[in-house]
């Protein structure tokens, strides 16, 4: 990874500097001395002072001052780069303003609710919409709220299976958009009030349009983040604005997310299929309230956090207890929904789960948490500007005393993903390296017949520790194990890539020491005293899914899933799920999985992981229009999948399966 990319990914540092203008300017000046004009421009782009999707001009003065400092440093040679940045800024802001104008015009024309109660109206609309998406229609006495779903007649005309899938996607899209919408209200200083305020059905229906606008807004936000941290640009193209996204970064994020979701879904389907085969459950829904949910949750916590015991702590509360705390909210939300028969009033107190803080504290306390821990949990679960959505922070403070939970969001939450997102967005230290990860890695190697050990030496007060070292075909491999949390957004992926760069620096320091003191390695691995490796290989092994072939500072970076599959001799698989049965169809197109494990095959695997090769085929470079706006996005779109439900394949799916898999149908 190039140094300039690492610099762009250091946005947490730049954002923290914004708390003190003097420190920000001093750090900018130091960056200019070290990295020149390009470094200075990266600094101000990544800091967020150039473009703000919420339209804030809070840092406009600081930006102008920073630009002048860069001009003074770079002189005439810097002018072209500065103007290119300012043109990007102008075009990005023109798109934001276009969107804001379109949205404002719609609500000005159609919405009648007072400003003080627009947040309450949106939360009501959200809950009604989600209940309809889940096909558990809210029982209201108002015909005008019979459906908030777009093209409802068309939806009802679809086959049941397609309708369920489509509504599930609409549910997820709506729930995931809640963060941007609530932050919009917050930035524009709308009051969060009105727990017992009745909102007319007409206004609730109008407020649901926020969900449709947010789909565009989320795409726009991701595009701006792509620009902040990469090579993305904004260009005038005829009478449109073209947003050229950095496709390498975008593809990295998409592939990482896709691979993780496939892993998670595969484990989920296999788990349910096993229970069905044993007659323990008859359908997936019955799993939700069974004793097996806890096993599934712990399995997914392991996937996200890389911890089997869940004893690591965030704010002095263990991961296991955080999982229990979130599940309390899920149970309360489901209980609330089950108790509702018919709703005759449209206010938050009737349609959502509204309790004062003291009541929530009591609920957590009754479930085994101390009052102090209950207050910490509530603070972490309460929505703020740093939250991603109502999955990760399910409580919204209304009227300064009520904490409102939108029950349909929380009742359908995945607590493991919600907790992971929450902790990542709050920038907690989540590098739970842990003994367990190292031991799993050693077990994988041992089962493949490879002797491996950890290395440790303290020399002149400095500690040198290698998690796993092994020899194959006279080549020496050093492995650094990092249990990182799975990222999701562009911003989270960039932060992860920065951490990976830091991991390689640490590994290089360790390898440099042990390669100069090879006798320590030989003794630990039981090698001859005079052994000298023909080649030294360095691997950073991470629990989070990699989304591209990553080679940083002469180190390979690979995820545990792909690494384990190589040594287990398990090639990429296509998941086929039909009638409660899960089938794994392995690829026969990669010879590195055939025959004995060799150092050459391992290096070939690290250089071109087959899992990445297959995943890249799921996406294509495409240009597409951004709805509502005169904007063309030039980026990457998903056109295929490696997990199929049912045997019907479209032409693109057939092309992919023919290339990598041999299907039985």
């Amino acid at each position: 990874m190039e140094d300039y990319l690492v610099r762009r990914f250091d946005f947490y540092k730049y954002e923290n500097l914004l708390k003190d203008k003097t420190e920000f300017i001093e750090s900018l000046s130091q960056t200019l001395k070290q990295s020149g004009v390009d470094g200075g421009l990266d600094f101000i782009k990544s800091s967020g002072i150039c473009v703000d999707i919420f339209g804030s001009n809070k840092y406009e003065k600081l930006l102008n001052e920073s630009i002048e400092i860069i001009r003074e440093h770079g002189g005439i040679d810097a002018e072209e780069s500065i103007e290119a940045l300012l043109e990007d800024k102008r075009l990005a802001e023109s798109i934001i303003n276009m969107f804001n104008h379109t949205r404002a015009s719609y609500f000005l024309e159609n919405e009648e609710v007072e400003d003080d109660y627009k947040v309450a109206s949106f939360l009501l609309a959200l809950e009604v919409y989600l209940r309809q998406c889940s096909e558990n229609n809210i029982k209201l006495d108002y015909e005008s709220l019979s459906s908030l779903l777009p093209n409802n007649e068309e939806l009802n005309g679809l086959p049941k299976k397609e309708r369920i899938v489509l509504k599930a996607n609409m549910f997820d899209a709506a729930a995931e958009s809640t963060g941007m919408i609530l932050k919009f209200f917050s930035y524009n200083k709308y009051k969060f009030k009105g727990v017992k305020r009745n909102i007319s059905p007409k206004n609730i229906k109008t407020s649901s349009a926020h969900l449709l606008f947010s789909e565009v807004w989320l795409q726009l936000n991701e595009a701006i983040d792509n620009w902040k941290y990469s090579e993305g640009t904004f260009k005038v193209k005829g009478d449109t604005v073209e947003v050229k996204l950095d496709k390498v970064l975008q593809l990295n994020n998409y592939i990482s997310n896709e691979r993780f979701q496939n892993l998670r879904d595969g484990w989920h389907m296999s788990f349910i299929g096993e229970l069905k085969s044993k007659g323990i459950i008859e359908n997936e829904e019955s799993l939700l309230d069974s004793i097996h949910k806890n096993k599934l949750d712990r399995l997914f916590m392991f996937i996200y956090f890389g911890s089997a015991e869940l004893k690591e702590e965030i704010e002095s509360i263990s991961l296991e207890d955080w999982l229990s705390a979130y599940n309390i909210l899920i149970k309360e939300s489901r209980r609330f929904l089950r108790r509702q028969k018919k709703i005759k009033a449209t206010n938050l107190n009737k349609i959502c789960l509204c309790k004062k803080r003291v009541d929530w504290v009591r609920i957590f306390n009754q479930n085994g948490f101390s009052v102090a821990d209950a207050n910490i949990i509530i603070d972490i679960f309460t929505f703020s500007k740093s939250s991603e959505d109502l999955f990760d922070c399910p409580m919204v403070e209304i009227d300064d005393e009520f904490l409102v939970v939108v029950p349909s969001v929380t009742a359908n939450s995945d607590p493991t993903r919600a907790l992971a997102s929450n902790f990542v967005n709050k920038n907690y230290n989540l590098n739970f390296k842990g003994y367990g990860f190292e031991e799993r890695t050693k077990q994988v190697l041992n089962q493949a017949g490879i002797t491996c050990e950890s290395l440790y030496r303290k020399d002149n007060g400095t500690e040198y520790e290698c998690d796993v070292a092994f020899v194959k075909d006279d080549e020496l491999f050093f492995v650094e194990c990092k249990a990182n949390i799975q990222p999701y957004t562009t911003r989270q992926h960039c932060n992860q890539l920065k951490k990976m760069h830091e991991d390689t620096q640490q590994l290089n320091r360790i390898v440099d020491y042990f390669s100069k003191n090879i006798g320590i390695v030989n003794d630990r691995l039981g090698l001859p005293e005079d052994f000298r490796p023909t080649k030294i290989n360095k691997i950073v092994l991470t629990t989070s899914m990699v989304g591209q072939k990553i080679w940083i500072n002469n180190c390979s970076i690979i995820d545990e899933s792909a690494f384990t599959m190589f040594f287990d001799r398990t090639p990429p698989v296509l998941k086929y799920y039909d009638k409660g049965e899960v089938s794994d169809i392995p690829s026969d197109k990669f010879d590195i999985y055939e025959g004995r494990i060799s150092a050459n095959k391992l290096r070939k695997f690290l250089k071109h992981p087959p899992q990445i090769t297959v995943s890249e085929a799921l996406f294509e470079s495409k240009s597409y229009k951004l709805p509502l706006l005169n904007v063309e996005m030039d980026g990457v779109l998903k056109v295929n999948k490696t997990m199929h439900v049912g045997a019907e394949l479209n032409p693109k799916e057939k092309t992919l399966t023919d290339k990598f898999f041999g299907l039985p149908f």
Side-chain angles (χ1 to χ4, degrees):
M1 187 185 300
E2 302 294 338
D3 287 342
Y4 73 89
L5 286 175
V6 180
R7 190 169 62 224
R8 291 174 182 176
F9 297 163
D10 207 8
F11 47 81
Y12 278 121
K13 170 188 171 182
Y14 308 142
E15 291 168 357
N16 286 331
L17 288 169
L18 288 171
K19 298 172 184 176
D20 187 315
K21 175 186 172 183
T22 301
E23 285 189 24
F24 185 90
I25 294 298
E26 288 177 355
S27 186
L28 172 61
S29 299
Q30 189 64 32
T31 299
L32 286 167
K33 292 176 184 177
Q34 294 174 346
S35 306
V37 169
D38 288 341
L41 294 174
D42 288 341
F43 184 106
I44 61 174
K45 268 181 70 175
S46 297
S47 70
I49 67 173
C50 283
V51 178
D52 178 13
I53 194 168
F54 296 103
S56 169
N57 59 1
K58 179 180 180 180
Y59 297 111
E60 196 68 23
K61 185 176 179 181
L62 177 60
L63 173 64
N64 292 334
E65 186 175 341
S66 299
I67 291 292
E68 288 308 310
I69 291 172
I70 295 173
R71 277 200 174 103
E72 290 175 9
H73 177 89
I76 191 67
D77 293 337
E79 202 59 36
E80 184 177 350
S81 296
I82 291 172
E83 288 306 312
L85 173 70
L86 294 178
E87 176 66 1
D88 278 346
K89 168 182 166 62
R90 183 184 71 78
L91 291 174
E93 289 179 339
S94 72
I95 297 173
I96 294 170
N97 291 336
M98 193 189 318
F99 173 79
N100 287 337
H101 175 74
T102 301
R103 177 173 55 185
S105 297
Y106 174 85
F107 286 110
L108 184 64
E109 182 178 343
N110 296 282
E111 191 174 46
E112 298 174 358
V113 69
E114 303 148 78
D115 285 355
D116 283 356
Y117 303 108
K118 287 184 177 180
V119 173
S121 182
F122 163 68
L123 292 175
L124 288 168
L126 173 66
E127 175 60 23
V128 174
Y129 181 92
L130 294 181
R131 291 197 199 185
Q132 293 177 343
C133 284
S134 62
E135 296 199 335
N136 180 21
N137 288 350
I138 189 169
K139 297 176 182 178
L140 290 171
D141 283 346
Y142 303 105
E143 185 178 346
S144 56
L145 273 180
S146 59
S147 178
L148 298 184
L149 298 179
N151 302 318
N152 193 53
E153 290 184 6
E154 183 179 336
L155 284 175
N156 289 334
L158 293 173
K160 182 178 180 181
K161 179 179 173 181
E162 292 183 26
R163 186 174 70 249
I164 290 173
V165 171
L166 182 56
K167 284 193 173 185
N169 291 337
M170 293 168 68
F171 184 104
D172 290 341
E176 290 172 1
S177 72
T178 54
M180 293 294 291
I181 297 169
L182 290 174
K183 281 185 271 191
F184 162 76
F185 286 130
S186 181
Y187 274 98
N188 286 278
K189 302 190 184 306
Y190 286 98
K191 292 183 179 179
F192 282 57
K193 61 181 292 186
V195 162
K196 297 183 180 180
R197 174 79 174 197
N198 283 331
I199 307 293
S200 73
K202 178 183 177 183
N203 280 318
I204 292 177
K205 200 160 190 173
T206 302
S207 292
S208 69
H210 280 292
L211 298 170
L212 303 178
F213 281 111
S214 71
E215 292 181 23
V216 179
W217 201 15
L218 285 170
Q219 291 185 61
L220 185 54
N221 184 59
E222 285 292 298
I224 289 173
D225 278 351
N226 183 287
W227 171 79
K228 283 182 183 178
Y229 312 132
S230 70
E231 299 291 340
T233 60
F234 294 82
K235 300 291 183 185
V236 175
K237 183 181 178 181
D239 59 351
T240 68
V241 175
E242 182 184 45
V243 182
K244 294 186 73 67
L245 301 171
D246 186 313
K247 296 178 184 179
V248 174
L249 177 60
Q250 190 183 26
L251 192 59
N252 169 78
N253 305 347
Y254 283 175
I255 289 177
S256 175
N257 292 348
E258 176 74 14
R259 291 186 59 223
F260 180 79
Q261 190 62 41
N262 280 348
L263 174 68
R264 189 184 178 286
D265 289 348
W267 284 24
H268 184 241
M269 289 193 299
S270 296
F271 185 82
I272 292 172
E274 181 182 351
L275 294 179
K276 286 181 178 179
S277 68
K278 294 178 179 179
I280 296 174
I281 63 171
E282 294 181 0
N283 54 63
E284 185 170 343
E285 288 70 28
S286 65
L287 178 68
L288 298 175
D289 295 316
S290 76
I291 60 172
H292 302 287
K293 182 184 184 303
N294 183 53
K295 293 182 180 179
L296 200 58
D297 280 347
R298 292 183 68 88
L299 175 63
F300 291 156
M301 285 290 281
F302 170 73
I303 297 176
Y304 275 105
F305 294 96
S307 169
E309 299 298 322
L310 305 183
K311 299 303 180 187
E312 291 86 352
E313 295 183 345
I314 299 293
E315 296 287 354
S316 301
I317 298 173
S318 71
L319 291 175
E320 185 170 25
D321 285 341
W322 278 111
L323 177 60
S324 297
Y326 201 102
N327 273 320
I328 289 169
L329 294 185
I330 291 176
K331 290 176 183 176
E332 289 292 320
S333 296
R334 290 177 180 170
R335 184 181 295 118
F336 178 84
L337 291 171
R338 284 196 302 268
R339 286 176 176 174
Q340 288 195 323
K341 302 300 181 184
K342 181 174 285 190
I343 298 172
K344 296 184 178 180
T346 50
N347 62 55
L348 287 175
N349 197 46
K350 295 293 184 182
I351 294 181
C352 292
L353 188 52
C354 305
K355 296 182 184 293
K356 293 183 178 181
R357 185 184 186 98
V358 65
D359 297 320
W360 283 116
V361 169
R362 185 178 67 253
I363 289 172
F364 284 115
N365 188 233
Q366 289 171 345
N367 283 274
F369 290 93
S370 68
V371 170
D373 283 352
N375 277 294
I376 292 173
I377 290 166
I378 290 170
D379 287 341
I380 299 298
F381 283 171
T382 299
F383 189 87
S384 69
K385 289 181 180 179
S386 67
S387 304
E388 187 66 30
D389 49 42
L390 287 182
F391 284 134
D392 67 343
C393 290
M395 294 176 152
V396 182
E397 187 174 30
I398 303 289
D399 292 334
D400 298 323
E401 60 174 337
F402 286 95
L403 291 165
V404 176
V405 172
V406 180
S408 287
V409 174
T410 307
N412 292 281
S413 289
D414 170 0
T416 57
R417 176 176 169 180
L419 290 169
S421 177
N422 188 313
F423 297 153
V424 166
N425 287 323
K426 289 182 172 62
N427 200 26
Y428 284 116
N429 180 12
L430 298 171
N431 292 328
F432 302 140
K433 190 167 95 164
Y435 179 77
F437 188 13
E438 296 173 20
E439 289 307 302
R440 291 198 307 274
T441 304
K442 291 177 184 177
Q443 185 177 13
V444 166
L445 293 168
N446 288 335
Q447 288 177 343
I450 298 172
T451 299
C452 58
E453 293 290 348
S454 300
L455 307 175
Y456 176 81
R457 181 58 61 97
K458 189 171 184 178
D459 195 338
N460 293 323
T462 302
E463 292 185 308
Y464 300 92
E465 183 176 8
C466 175
D467 296 329
V468 181
F470 65 94
V471 170
K472 189 64 183 174
D473 300 337
D474 290 336
E475 294 187 22
L476 180 57
F477 291 81
F478 292 94
V479 182
E480 179 74 11
C481 297
K482 290 293 182 182
N484 296 315
I485 204 163
Q486 174 65 31
Y488 181 70
T489 64
T490 295
R491 181 179 169 88
Q492 290 170 356
H493 278 286
C494 290
N495 186 46
Q496 186 82 296
L497 289 168
K498 174 185 172 293
K499 289 179 180 178
M500 288 177 177
H501 183 272
E502 294 168 351
D503 294 337
T504 62
Q505 293 175 324
Q506 177 183 345
L507 180 56
N508 275 322
R509 180 184 70 85
I510 292 166
V511 171
D512 182 62
Y513 176 80
F514 284 114
S515 60
K516 291 176 181 176
N517 296 273
I518 196 68
I520 300 172
V521 182
N522 293 347
D523 180 64
R524 186 72 176 138
L525 292 176
L527 299 167
E529 290 184 10
D530 61 350
F531 173 78
R532 295 295 181 270
T534 58
K535 185 178 183 62
I536 290 178
N537 304 279
K538 296 170 286 187
I539 303 171
V540 174
L541 188 62
T542 174
T543 51
S544 61
M545 292 292 191
V546 300
Q548 58 183 308
K549 310 172 191 74
I550 307 182
W551 176 260
I552 303 176
N553 291 332
N554 296 315
C555 299
S556 298
I557 298 180
I558 193 68
D559 53 81
E560 182 184 15
S561 175
F563 185 83
T564 300
M565 290 174 70
F566 173 81
F567 286 98
D568 286 347
R569 321 308 286 143
T570 305
V573 298
L574 180 143
K575 292 279 186 182
Y576 169 54
Y577 183 76
D578 191 38
K579 298 177 182 177
E581 298 293 329
V582 182
S583 301
D584 286 349
I585 302 170
S587 171
D588 58 359
K589 308 299 183 183
F590 300 99
D591 58 9
I592 59 172
Y593 296 100
E594 299 174 3
R596 65 177 288 272
I597 296 171
S598 67
N600 183 55
K601 288 178 183 176
L602 178 53
R603 281 188 281 102
K604 185 177 178 181
F605 158 75
L606 293 170
K607 188 174 182 181
H608 296 287
Q611 291 79 7
I612 302 298
T613 301
V614 172
S615 297
E616 286 174 342
L618 307 180
F619 300 89
E620 288 183 2
S621 295
K622 281 187 174 291
S623 292
Y624 53 96
K625 293 287 187 181
L626 200 59
L628 306 179
L629 303 174
N630 200 22
V631 174
E632 184 176 293
M633 307 285 280
D634 181 19
V636 174
L637 286 177
K638 184 180 175 183
V639 296
N640 222 319
K641 57 189 175 183
T642 57
M643 183 171 294
H644 296 273
V645 179
E648 295 181 9
L649 300 176
N650 64 38
K652 283 188 177 295
E653 292 170 344
K654 189 72 167 61
T655 299
L656 174 77
T657 54
D658 287 346
K659 184 175 182 180
F660 294 112
F661 306 96
L663 294 184
F665 48 81

